Amino acid sequence: MKYGIAIFPSKQVQDEANSYRKRYDPHYDLIPPHITLKEAFDADDETIDELVVELKKIANETKPFEVEINKVSSFVPVTNTIYLKVEPHDTLNELYEKMHTGKFPDNKRFAFVPHITIGQKLLDDEYSDVFGRMKMRNFQIKDTVDRFQLLYQLENGSWTVHESFVFGKEYL
Amino acid sequence: MKYGIAIFPSKQVQDEANSYRKRYDPHYDLIPPHITLKEAFDADDETIDELVVELKKIANETKPFEVEINKVSSFVPVTNTIYLKVEPHDTLNELYEKMHTGKFPDNKRFAFVPHITIGQKLLDDEYSDVFGRMKMRNFQIKDTVDRFQLLYQLENGSWTVHESFVFGKEYL
């Protein structure tokens, strides 16, 4: 099965992200707004049981922290994905590194740029128009992160949560 | 915020349910296929923190169990919802009762009929046609349940997982 690891921001931030995603992100229906910590990777049941133990350890080593979002950015020219830029944070980097070492497959593809996608797979003209408008906007979002989620992908492309990992609250 | 509690069956069962939901269930995009344990209820953050503790206790008191699905049924004439009927199981009943007593709001509306919805809000003709075909089919699904999930609803009607509760594995 295909798994991934993500942080869901608060409902308020998800609602705001969805107000853009509804129009600009074809993945709107497949998963709630999220910060990806680990891109999709394949694992069998046995491996996942092992990784769940590792994820519990990681969660227990982590303290809740605050992320900030101040602006919209894009991955152009690599892809025309538009996203809420999550300001770099040591704890996010640590989580990312821990999930790509040891027992975890090292499926890093790009440098880690924490973000919440709000638009993707747009036509060039649409991208320019939307990004032009969005980049002018000021965002002042602060959001507390106290957990991450392990998800798996269904055949229709949507993602279901397998397990949540709450910082400092996991049983080992 | 509006919360609910549900069991996601295995990926295989979710994929099968989605093959019907895609055509017959307008909630297809809002939540993965699921067995509802507790219908939507309102709770503030403080209450949810208390209920999370209760849910951990319930999860720790519960052992993994197997559910069986042998046929499709419907809630006609109450609603024309078509569902995979989950055979009655003592543990499901116990979970349901525990989540409607004590600190939990008692938001029971109907008798508890465990099910996975695969169609709803159909026109009368469409309902008769779909249900007529589906009820002839034999299902022989056995699925192990080892967790349930607490979800909250976003403004667009979709549901995000707040926390998972794995039987016998919660930290209190």
Side-chain angles (χ1 to χ4, degrees):
Chain A
M1 273 180 12
K2 196 157 272 181
Y3 290 87
I5 304 173
I7 291 165
F8 297 137
S10 66
K11 173 179 180 293
Q12 198 178 352
V13 175
Q14 289 182 64
D15 285 336
E16 178 154 5
N18 271 340
S19 70
Y20 311 116
R21 294 177 82 220
K22 181 170 187 165
R23 286 173 287 172
Y24 307 127
D25 184 355
H27 292 186
Y28 172 64
D29 288 331
L30 302 180
I31 186 169
H34 60 279
I35 303 167
T36 301
L37 286 174
K38 188 173 181 66
E39 298 279 352
F41 63 100
D42 281 307
D44 56 25
D45 291 356
E46 198 179 322
T47 307
I48 276 301
D49 289 345
E50 277 187 22
L51 295 184
V52 162
V53 174
E54 297 304 306
L55 290 172
K56 288 182 172 190
K57 289 181 195 165
I58 293 171
N60 279 350
E61 292 162 4
T62 307
K63 288 198 168 31
F65 60 98
E66 198 170 63
V67 291
E68 275 189 53
I69 294 166
N70 301 312
K71 66 170 187 173
V72 160
S73 190
S74 109
F75 287 127
V76 160
V78 180
T79 67
N80 70 12
T81 298
I82 299 171
Y83 57 85
L84 298 174
K85 180 179 165 56
V86 178
E87 294 301 323
H89 193 295
D90 285 349
T91 309
L92 282 173
N93 290 335
E94 286 161 20
L95 289 170
Y96 176 80
E97 291 301 331
K98 287 176 180 175
M99 293 171 188
H100 291 83
T101 189
K103 294 190 178 174
F104 291 93
D106 182 6
N107 61 332
K108 289 179 181 176
R109 283 200 308 161
F110 304 109
F112 178 49
V113 178
H115 67 280
I116 299 170
T117 295
I118 55 173
Q120 60 187 323
K121 301 181 180 173
L122 300 168
L123 298 175
D124 283 354
D125 281 0
E126 201 179 11
Y127 164 79
S128 300
D129 178 46
V130 173
F131 185 59
R133 280 185 287 121
M134 295 293 294
K135 77 176 176 197
M136 306 297 287
R137 297 188 52 161
N138 254 316
F139 292 85
Q140 289 191 314
I141 297 172
K142 287 181 199 280
D143 209 41
T144 301
V145 176
D146 72 348
R147 67 193 62 206
F148 54 77
Q149 316 262 356
L150 175 65
L151 302 99
Y152 53 89
Q153 193 168 31
L154 301 185
E155 292 309 310
N156 68 358
S158 70
W159 292 84
T160 299
V161 168
H162 179 64
E163 191 157 341
S164 58
F165 300 87
V166 183
F167 301 163
K169 298 278 180 74
E170 296 301 324
Y171 174 71
L172 272 162
Chain B
M1 270 176 18
K2 197 158 271 181
Y3 290 86
I5 304 173
I7 291 165
F8 297 137
S10 65
K11 173 178 179 293
Q12 199 179 349
V13 176
Q14 288 182 65
D15 286 336
E16 178 154 4
N18 271 341
S19 71
Y20 310 116
R21 294 177 81 220
K22 182 171 187 167
R23 285 172 288 172
Y24 308 126
D25 184 356
H27 292 186
Y28 173 64
D29 288 332
L30 301 180
I31 186 169
H34 60 279
I35 303 168
T36 301
L37 286 174
K38 188 173 180 65
E39 297 280 352
F41 63 100
D42 281 307
D44 57 25
D45 291 356
E46 198 179 320
T47 306
I48 274 300
D49 289 346
E50 277 188 21
L51 294 184
V52 161
V53 174
E54 297 305 305
L55 290 172
K56 288 181 174 192
K57 289 181 194 165
I58 293 172
N60 280 349
E61 292 161 3
T62 307
K63 289 198 169 28
F65 61 98
E66 199 169 62
V67 291
E68 276 190 53
I69 295 166
N70 301 314
K71 66 172 188 171
V72 160
S73 190
S74 108
F75 287 127
V76 159
V78 180
T79 68
N80 70 9
T81 298
I82 299 171
Y83 58 86
L84 298 175
K85 179 179 164 61
V86 178
E87 294 301 322
H89 193 294
D90 284 349
T91 311
L92 282 173
N93 289 335
E94 286 162 19
L95 289 171
Y96 176 81
E97 291 302 331
K98 287 176 181 177
M99 292 172 187
H100 291 83
T101 188
K103 294 189 176 172
F104 291 93
D106 182 6
N107 61 333
K108 289 179 184 177
R109 283 202 305 161
F110 305 109
F112 177 49
V113 179
H115 66 280
I116 299 170
T117 295
I118 55 174
Q120 60 186 321
K121 299 180 181 173
L122 299 169
L123 299 174
D124 284 353
D125 281 1
E126 200 180 11
Y127 163 80
S128 301
D129 178 46
V130 173
F131 185 59
R133 281 184 287 119
M134 295 292 294
K135 78 176 176 198
M136 306 298 287
R137 297 187 53 160
N138 252 318
F139 292 85
Q140 289 192 314
I141 298 172
K142 286 181 199 281
D143 210 41
T144 301
V145 176
D146 72 347
R147 66 194 61 205
F148 54 77
Q149 317 262 356
L150 175 66
L151 303 98
Y152 54 90
Q153 192 168 32
L154 302 184
E155 292 308 311
N156 68 358
S158 70
W159 292 84
T160 298
V161 168
H162 179 64
E163 192 157 341
S164 59
F165 300 86
V166 183
F167 301 164
K169 298 279 180 73
E170 295 300 325
Y171 175 71
L172 271 162

